[in-house]
Amino acid sequence: MSVFDVQLVTPRLILRMPCAGDFEAWAAFRADEEVARYIGGPEARPMAWRSLAAMIGAWHLRGFAMFSVIDKATGEWLGRVGPWQPEGWPGTEVGWSIVRAHWGKGFGPEAATASIDWAFDQLGWSEVIHTIDPRNENSRAVAAKLGSRYLRMGRLPVPHDANEVEIWGQSREQWLARRASEERT
């Protein structure tokens, strides 16, 4: 199977490689000031196009990147979630950003769980991190729900290096132990 055929399925979601057909939803998502507050700020359409192209390009360069999250029931594009490690990144990250209309519905943790499973199983990662703006209480709550814990402060590479970020995470062993415990209950 090619990395371009990767599709993860959860009870409510399909996670697949982003494509050009995602652009309108992607552009609206990246223009939303509240959604973009902690992920580099809102983007005009030309910059949103570039960020979508960068995500698609990362799949070609690295064999992984964030997935487009699709609602199985409606086909609606819900956001981007998944593995991310561009040049200079502080570690092997699984990140999440969901369209504001769908915050609080558990889509972020559901998609992140599938992404973390895939990153450990298919990419062979030994650790997963989440880079979180210290003011982003929602992402901190998602990280904790995933079993991650605060590890240290760090910086993202240019052009996002102005402020420190919290780095949350866990090892492969910690993740697998937690998943095994969930299956027993």
Side-chain angles (χ1 to χ4, degrees), residues 2-184:
S2 162
V3 294
F4 307 113
D5 298 325
V6 172
Q7 180 172 286
L8 309 181
V9 179
T10 73
R12 300 180 297 163
L13 306 171
I14 297 169
L15 282 67
R16 60 155 174 78
M17 185 177 155
C19 65
D22 296 337
F23 178 65
E24 290 303 323
W26 182 286
F29 161 80
R30 291 299 294 140
D32 184 318
E33 195 167 318
E34 187 66 23
V35 168
R37 174 181 301 185
Y38 302 118
I39 57 171
E43 293 178 342
R45 286 179 64 85
M47 289 307 297
W49 185 88
R50 287 178 179 90
S51 68
L52 175 60
M55 196 65 66
I56 293 169
W59 275 96
H60 290 270
L61 290 170
R62 309 233 358 144
F64 66 87
M66 288 193 184
F67 296 97
S68 278
V69 180
I70 309 300
D71 185 320
K72 273 171 56 173
T74 66
E76 181 181 0
W77 189 90
L78 301 176
R80 63 181 196 190
V81 175
W84 187 236
Q85 192 185 22
E87 177 63 28
W89 214 250
T92 47
E93 177 164 22
V94 167
W96 50 84
S97 295
I98 300 295
V99 172
R100 184 170 17 155
H102 295 288
W103 286 0
K105 298 178 182 178
F107 292 132
E110 185 175 332
T113 296
S115 296
I116 293 169
D117 282 342
W118 187 75
F120 285 139
D121 294 345
Q122 300 301 313
L123 301 177
W125 288 4
S126 60
E127 176 186 51
V128 67
I129 66 162
H130 322 292
T131 58
I132 301 174
D133 185 297
R135 300 164 295 171
N136 190 341
E137 294 296 328
N138 291 340
S139 279
R140 293 165 92 189
V142 170
K145 186 173 189 172
L146 294 169
S148 290
R149 59 185 172 74
Y150 171 82
L151 301 175
R152 63 190 174 276
M153 294 301 288
R155 288 198 186 272
L156 300 179
V158 172
H160 304 292
D161 60 334
N163 299 309
E164 283 192 308
V165 293
E166 292 180 356
I167 299 175
W168 288 60
Q170 60 190 294
S171 69
R172 180 180 194 279
E173 291 74 23
Q174 291 167 324
W175 177 258
L176 293 176
R178 184 176 160 278
R179 296 288 280 155
S181 174
E182 288 173 352
E183 289 177 10
R184 286 193 298 270

